[in-house]
Amino acid sequence: MTDENKPPHPMSRRFRGFLPVVVDVETAGFNPERDALLEVAAVILTMDDDGWVRRAETHVQQIDPFEGANLEQSALDFTGIDPWNPEREAVPEREGLSEIFSPIRKAVKNHDCKRAVLVGHNATFDHNFIFAAALRADIRRNPFHPFSTFDTATLAGLAYGHTVLAQACKIAGIPFSNKEAHSAAYDAEKTADLFCGIVNRWKELGGFPPPVIPEETE
């Protein structure tokens, strides 16, 4: 079968042509314009031929605080990150985000999608930090939709009656370790498992694809 005759990837028909990519960031505060971005993890999702969504690959980058960045000690205590630890092998924002964005753009193309959509637990937080850092770094090929997101806190509240990631995972039967939490990679992968579980459960219950409504005839 030639590429011209190859059917589009099933993911391209599921989320309006968007590829869901789960993102978690660890930061030195809550203000994306002022506080340092310290760690980024992105989990690319895929879909099999039967329409089931699952995790594909995870990409992680440790980020150096940008020049003049604020570092809230309470935030560093919470995450346990020492920004100046050489073992982090941290890189500047431009390099780190470029390394994250490149495989996402490739995955968008491979899934026949138009662009990526950020999935996160309280997604606005992660989205704001990613876009603020990309703007500072003058990265113009940001693969993510500029304002649309999928928020697993909202989805988990609907599906499981709980908005806290650890508790929602527990209710969903997803193992969750509080000792490993607040690592960007760990939280992103658990968020990905939660998102996939909700999407697949909705399909299992018959919620997708939606019923076809016949057009009205005059």
Side-chain angles (χ1 to χ4, degrees), residues 2 7 24 31 34-35 50 60 98 101 139 141 143 171 182 207 209:
T2 65
D24 188 80
N31 187 327
R34 182 192 68 182
D35 299 328
D50 294 321
V60 186
S98 295
F101 288 171
I139 296 177
R141 296 184 66 199
I171 296 168
H182 310 306

Side-chain angles (χ1 to χ4, degrees), residues 55-210:
R55 273 201 267 150
E57 60 210 51
T58 300
H59 300 272
V60 186
Q61 287 289 320
Q62 304 294 325
I63 309 294
D64 276 328
F66 64 90
E67 185 176 353
N70 181 61
L71 300 167
E72 292 289 340
Q73 188 59 49
S74 59
L76 300 181
D77 292 342
F78 181 73
T79 62
I81 295 175
D82 176 2
W84 314 120
N85 184 346
E87 294 184 3
R88 292 181 66 226
E89 299 182 350
V91 297
E93 286 181 330
R94 183 176 178 83
E95 180 181 343
L97 288 184
S98 295
E99 289 294 321
I100 292 287
F101 288 171
S102 178
I104 293 174
R105 287 196 298 267
K106 182 178 180 181
V108 168
K109 181 178 180 180
N110 290 343
H111 286 81
D112 300 312
C113 290
K114 297 181 293 186
R115 69 191 316 161
V117 60
L118 188 147
V119 181
H121 204 76
N122 299 309
T124 299
F125 180 86
D126 304 278
H127 188 273
N128 286 346
F129 266 91
I130 290 293
F131 271 75
L135 182 63
R136 280 192 300 269
D138 194 28
I139 296 177
R140 300 179 184 181
R141 296 184 66 199
N142 187 332
F144 288 107
H145 193 284
F147 54 84
S148 291
T149 61
F150 293 151
D151 181 20
T152 54
T154 301
L155 292 172
L158 170 67
Y160 301 117
H162 216 299
T163 60
V164 175
L165 179 60
Q167 293 302 315
C169 285
K170 181 179 179 180
I171 296 168
I174 300 168
F176 193 96
S177 169
N178 289 319
K179 291 182 179 180
E180 295 184 67
H182 310 306
S183 151
Y186 186 83
D187 287 358
E189 289 182 347
K190 291 303 177 182
T191 300
D193 290 343
L194 184 64
F195 178 78
C196 292
I198 294 171
V199 171
N200 290 337
R201 181 61 172 156
W202 180 246
K203 171 179 166 59
E204 191 176 52
L205 292 171
F208 193 87

